[in-house]
């Protein structure tokens, strides 16, 4: 089962999913292994990085999502909620089998 994290904003649901394809895209986007990126995310992550990670996590749902559209979604959700959602989605992607599934966050 592939882990995903749902964010409910009004009537809209955005689903962050870091499946194998998304993880490969993140490695390519950032030029580092997914493990190094995960370590980096534990520390200091800028808004540009957060936006790029968030976008890649949504591409399965919105394949032609642009960075500008991702900005609008993050503005709607809020930067802190977006950051928390990325962290939770990563936890689910790398967690134990008991942890995997769908989690939801309401806004």
């Amino acid at each position: 089962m592939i882990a995903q994290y749902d964010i409910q904003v009004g009537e809209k649901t955005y689903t962050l999913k870091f499946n194998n394809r998304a993880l490969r895209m993140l490695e390519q986007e950032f030029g580092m292994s997914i493990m190094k990126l995960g370590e980096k995310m534990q520390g200091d992550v800028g808004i540009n990085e957060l936006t790029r990670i968030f976008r890649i996590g949504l591409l399965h749902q919105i394949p032609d999502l642009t960075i500008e559209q991702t900005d609008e979604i993050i503005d709607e959700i809020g930067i802190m909620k977006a950051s928390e959602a990325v962290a939770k989605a990563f936890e689910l992607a790398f967690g134990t089998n008991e942890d995997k599934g769908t989690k939801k966050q309401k806004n």
Side-chain angles (χ1 to χ4, degrees), residues 77-92:
I77 294 167
I79 292 170
M80 291 305 296
K81 295 259 187 211
S83 179
E84 291 168 8
V86 165
K88 290 287 188 185
F90 257 76
E91 283 177 28
L92 290 168

Side-chain angles (χ1 to χ4, degrees), residues 15-46:
T15 303
L16 287 175
K17 185 187 294 185
F18 293 106
N19 56 9
N20 191 67
R21 178 176 178 253
L23 297 176
R24 285 187 308 102
M25 291 176 76
L26 285 169
E27 283 188 344
Q28 187 174 29
E29 177 81 14
F30 289 94
M32 64 179 76
S33 75
I34 201 63
M35 297 312 253
K36 286 191 189 249
L37 182 59
E39 289 172 12
K40 180 174 177 46
M41 288 176 57
Q42 301 284 324
D44 189 24
V45 176

Side-chain angles (χ1 to χ4, degrees), residues 2 11-13 15-18 26 34 36 38 48 53 58-60 64 71 74 84 87 90 102 105-107:
I2 296 170
E11 296 296 315
K12 297 177 193 168
T13 301
T15 303
L16 287 175
K17 185 187 294 185
F18 293 106
L26 285 169
I34 201 63
K36 286 191 189 249
N48 286 317
I53 294 167
L58 289 176
L59 285 176
H60 71 96
D64 57 350
D71 288 335
I74 291 174
E84 291 168 8
F90 257 76
T102 300
Q105 173 184 24
K106 292 192 178 181
N107 206 14

